Amino acid sequence: MVIYRKATKADVFAIVEMIADDKLGKTREQFADPLPDTYYQAFENINADANQELIVVEDSGEIIGTMQLSFIQYLTYKGGIRAQIEAVRIKKNRRGQGLGKQMFLWAIERAKEKNAHVLQLTTDKKRPDAIKFYEDLGFIKSHEGMKMHF
């Protein structure tokens, strides 16, 4: 049975393994055993913030997916809440089984539970399959995003 729950410190290794296990992740992450302490420090910061939910998807005790939901309070939209979904990953041997869609449907319901008026995401333009997947779920290209890396 698949369950969704907040991640614990014991889950960090499995989460980073999934984050690092794709074309872009391999270039950005430092997956090693033991993990660099920076990952555990980041987990502690996320876990301490009531507006952050680092989620794992578990099946029979095995971590098979992860995502991070951020709930951003702001003044526009009458003091609305914007939900952002990031770092959605599925364990390689579980891809292609419909789990990604299930995870997004769960995230949409969670955002509604938190009274968010919008769920947003960013995706790398180098991921055309992911963009198609998001569009099929009902996400629309409404803005042009910009970043400044340091």
Side-chain angles (χ1 to χ4, degrees), residues 22-149:
D22 74 13
K23 190 166 87 173
L24 295 176
K26 286 181 194 319
T27 65
R28 299 187 290 223
E29 305 305 330
Q30 187 180 348
F31 179 67
D33 190 3
L35 285 176
D37 286 338
T38 53
Y39 289 109
Y40 293 103
Q41 292 165 1
F43 169 79
E44 294 298 336
N45 290 338
I46 292 164
N47 197 44
D49 185 341
N51 294 311
Q52 301 293 325
E53 295 182 1
L54 182 58
I55 303 296
V56 292
V57 182
E58 188 177 290
D59 186 11
S60 302
E62 179 186 15
I63 305 297
I64 59 170
T66 187
M67 68 181 115
Q68 183 171 340
L69 294 171
S70 300
F71 299 97
I72 306 161
Q73 180 76 64
Y74 57 136
L75 290 177
T76 58
Y77 286 88
K78 303 175 190 148
I81 296 172
R82 177 179 299 257
Q84 177 136 343
I85 188 168
E86 292 283 342
V88 179
R89 297 293 192 283
I90 298 168
K91 196 169 182 177
K92 188 175 274 186
N93 67 345
R94 297 298 296 262
R95 295 177 191 159
Q97 300 173 11
L99 185 59
K101 182 176 181 178
Q102 291 174 21
M103 288 172 63
F104 267 87
L105 294 175
W106 184 91
I108 290 165
E109 289 307 309
R110 182 67 183 136
K112 289 177 181 178
E113 287 172 11
K114 295 283 280 189
N115 295 315
H117 71 91
V118 66
L119 175 61
Q120 66 184 22
L121 59 82
T122 61
T123 189
D124 196 297
K125 291 180 178 184
K126 297 173 192 162
R127 297 179 187 247
D129 292 342
I131 292 167
K132 170 85 168 84
F133 173 77
Y134 301 139
E135 289 173 338
D136 289 347
L137 284 168
F139 287 86
I140 58 168
K141 294 178 185 177
S142 63
H143 291 72
E144 185 72 24
M146 300 173 77
K147 293 182 180 182
M148 181 184 291
H149 285 276

